[in-house]
Amino acid sequence: MAKVKTTFFCQSCGAQYAKWQGQCNACKAWNTIAEEVLQKPEKSEWKTPVNQTKRAAKPLKIKDIDVFEEARYDSLDAEFNRVLGGGIVPGSLTLLGGEPGIGKSTLLLQIALKLPYKTLYVSGEESQKQIKMRAERIHLDANNCYILTETKTQRIFKQIEALEPDIVIVDSIQTLHSDYIESSSGSISQIKECTTELIKFAKETATPVILIGHITKDGNIAGPKILEHMVDTVLQFEGDRNHVFRILRAHKNRFGSTNELGIYEMQGSGLREVSNPSEVLISKKDEELSGHVIAATLEGARPLMIEVQALVSTAVYGTPQRSTTGFNAKRLNMLLAVLEKRAGFRLGAKDVFLNITGGITVDDPAIDLAVVAAILSSNEDAPLSHSFCFAAEVGLSGEVRPVQRVEQRILEAEKLGFSTIFVSKYNKISLKNSAIKVELVSKIEDLVDLII
């Protein structure tokens, strides 16, 4: 047996040290450095199947490299395919992170049951009976999905060699451990070693591997930051457990855009794909209420119509409150200052509360005009028409600035039955014969005259 070697790793960032010290030099965290025992016997190479040939590693001129469309596996889940960029790429390693109980295992089990390919679902957290009970709740019957409850990578690879699956799903990477590392599961060295073995297997056999990863209390994926650099795609499954909607985002994607968004609705029978989120994110009301405005925003290539709610009231306590949900609080303060300076509204002594419905968070500056309209509507207690929507950015001098892809926002508003959309006068619009009225606004004062 080789000599036992001990090293010290920071449990927060993964930095390695020869001896213990109180503070990590890399991330400046205190008391996060722990000793781990390493034992590295001679590794056995993953045997490449006979039908797979390793590509010769030789330099080529860039003009001689053939560019062809990479064939992808269709997951039969439109939202999942959209976020990945069109489907699952062979030989790719995808990491899915999210809060406990948000629905990561349910999402991947649902996809595994839908897939028409031979799929191996490896679980280190649940028994086969528990997974079977969840599959029965989802009401999907699949003959191509195999369940394995195992945490040792060497045994997993033996089952993979016998089964030869087309896709492998691992729940979760923090539960796996390798014989080559003598430290506990979830440690820095175990996560790096297990991920390296899975990458070697995926690349040599062209088999896509999807990993579930735990997250820390800060919302980052647990383990070393290098884990996110090693994989090809990093997905984040977000949402509030008190709301039914879940959002799938790509933080990193080597095979597609990171601006795409997938929306699901959590039901008792699993996750339902939301193909038209605009109808879901806009609440249904029988009467018009003040402070309720519809904004046209974009998430990747997908236009969304979201509802912005504002409440302006006299400050009961000495200091006025500024509270936001789903919107940047500093940007709200900026818009309030613009209204005070440019439009003459005295909001300095009033409480202002702002909410984006549906439990989602929006960073698109194109909803500035909708936020201003909602604040004005609530302040004057003057309801705006249900058929109005807004898409423009507001500058510090009160000018209404243009936003990108405004025509796509206009077409989405027209499709959903809105009669009027307010946009910047400086946007170049080439739409003809449109059924929706386009109101061009150049400054905040024009908007006040139009809606109040």
Side-chain angles (χ1 to χ4, degrees):
M1 180 181 291
K3 182 181 178 181
V4 176
K5 179 183 178 183
T6 61
T7 54
F8 295 84
F9 288 97
C10 174
Q11 302 300 308
S12 177
C13 67
Q16 185 175 351
Y17 298 93
K19 60 181 181 179
W20 184 88
Q21 59 187 52
Q23 185 185 30
C24 174
N25 296 331
C27 65
K28 305 302 181 184
W30 287 91
N31 298 324
T32 58
I33 297 176
E35 183 179 14
E36 294 182 10
V37 179
L38 303 181
Q39 183 67 46
K40 295 186 177 179
E42 189 67 25
K43 290 188 180 182
S44 58
E45 292 289 329
W46 169 262
K47 294 183 178 179
T48 308
V50 178
N51 57 351
Q52 299 287 343
T53 58
K54 295 181 70 174
R55 286 176 287 183
K58 61 179 182 179
L60 293 174
K61 289 183 179 179
I62 192 166
K63 65 178 183 180
D64 296 334
I65 300 175
D66 293 327
V67 179
F68 59 91
E69 189 67 26
E70 185 77 34
R72 295 175 183 252
Y73 292 107
D74 184 5
S75 67
L76 300 182
D77 187 307
E79 302 296 303
F80 195 71
N81 284 345
R82 176 186 289 110
V83 176
L84 288 180
I88 305 171
V89 176
S92 64
L93 206 72
T94 303
L95 178 63
L96 174 66
E99 293 182 0
I102 204 71
K104 303 184 296 295
S105 301
T106 302
L107 173 65
L108 290 189
L109 179 61
Q110 193 168 301
I111 290 173
L113 295 173
K114 284 183 181 179
L115 284 169
Y117 314 102
K118 187 186 292 186
T119 308
L120 178 62
Y121 187 96
V122 182
S123 176
E125 300 183 342
E126 295 177 297
S127 66
Q128 291 175 324
K129 292 182 179 180
Q130 287 176 303
I131 298 173
K132 172 66 175 178
M133 291 168 61
R134 178 180 292 161
E136 289 177 346
R137 291 199 302 270
I138 297 174
H139 302 302
L140 288 175
D141 296 327
N143 297 322
N144 296 319
C145 183
Y146 296 82
I147 307 298
L148 173 65
T149 55
E150 183 58 68
T151 58
K152 186 177 290 189
T153 57
Q154 283 70 33
R155 294 175 184 170
I156 292 172
F157 286 136
K158 285 184 180 179
Q159 297 298 328
I160 289 174
E161 204 167 358
L163 185 64
E164 294 185 358
D166 297 318
I167 296 175
V168 176
I169 298 173
V170 178
D171 182 11
S172 64
I173 184 61
Q174 278 82 8
T175 61
L176 298 187
H177 69 275
S178 171
D179 285 340
Y180 301 128
I181 302 292
E182 288 189 0
S183 59
S184 59
S185 300
S187 63
I188 300 293
S189 52
Q190 280 287 6
I191 292 175
K192 289 170 64 177
E193 178 64 28
C194 294
T195 306
T196 302
E197 293 179 14
L198 288 169
I199 289 175
K200 186 176 179 62
F201 156 73
K203 301 304 180 186
E204 291 191 359
T205 63
T207 303
V209 178
I210 303 176
L211 308 175
I212 291 179
H214 298 163
I215 66 169
T216 62
K217 61 182 180 181
D218 298 327
N220 301 318
I221 294 177
K225 193 69 178 176
I226 194 174
L227 175 62
E228 298 180 40
H229 295 292
M230 294 167 71
V231 300
D232 298 308
T233 307
V234 179
L235 305 179
Q236 190 78 13
F237 205 38
E238 305 171 354
D240 189 343
R241 281 181 287 180
N242 298 321
H243 290 81
V244 296
F245 300 112
R246 303 288 187 267
I247 296 175
L248 185 66
R249 300 179 189 269
H251 288 181
K252 170 189 175 182
N253 191 356
R254 288 175 177 162
F255 310 110
S257 171
T258 57
N259 296 322
E260 294 298 338
L261 185 79
I263 300 181
Y264 295 87
E265 182 182 4
M266 178 62 81
Q267 298 178 339
S269 58
L271 291 160
R272 183 184 71 85
E273 302 169 41
V274 180
S275 57
N276 188 4
S278 300
E279 295 180 355
V280 178
L281 296 174
I282 300 175
S283 59
K284 307 296 187 294
K285 300 180 291 292
D286 295 330
E287 59 182 12
E288 293 181 350
L289 302 173
S290 63
H292 290 233
V293 170
I294 307 302
T297 183
L298 282 175
E299 286 288 350
R302 164 184 282 189
L304 296 178
M305 309 301 289
I306 61 172
E307 183 176 352
V308 180
Q309 298 178 342
L311 175 62
V312 180
S313 62
T314 304
V316 178
Y317 308 104
T319 305
Q321 299 181 67
R322 303 284 187 261
S323 178
T324 63
T325 303
F327 189 73
N328 192 328
K330 292 182 179 180
R331 193 160 189 86
L332 172 62
N333 291 331
M334 183 204 78
L335 294 175
L336 292 175
V338 171
L339 283 174
E340 185 117 8
K341 176 77 173 179
R342 303 296 176 186
F345 288 91
R346 302 302 175 206
L347 301 172
K350 294 187 177 181
D351 294 336
V352 180
F353 303 94
L354 191 72
N355 177 45
I356 307 295
T357 60
I360 67 171
T361 301
V362 181
D363 297 324
D364 188 2
I367 71 170
D368 284 355
L369 198 63
V371 171
V372 168
I375 293 171
L376 294 177
S377 171
S378 179
N379 184 58
E380 301 295 324
D381 200 17
L384 299 181
S385 173
H386 287 325
S387 60
F388 287 179
C389 64
F390 301 81
E393 183 183 353
V394 176
L396 286 177
S397 60
E399 80 276 14
V400 179
R401 299 171 58 82
V403 294
Q404 61 176 345
R405 291 157 62 187
V406 68
E407 294 183 354
Q408 194 173 353
R409 303 173 198 257
I410 295 173
L411 292 174
E412 178 72 8
E414 181 183 354
K415 185 177 72 173
L416 294 177
F418 290 92
S419 64
T420 307
I421 182 169
F422 295 80
V423 299
S424 173
K425 181 181 178 180
Y426 307 106
N427 264 119
K428 296 180 180 179
I429 303 172
S430 59
L431 290 175
K432 296 180 180 179
N433 302 324
S434 178
I436 189 172
K437 181 181 180 182
V438 180
E439 286 281 1
L440 302 178
V441 184
S442 62
K443 52 186 178 179
I444 288 291
E445 293 90 325
D446 298 342
L447 178 69
V448 174
D449 295 337
L450 289 170
I451 67 173
I452 301 298

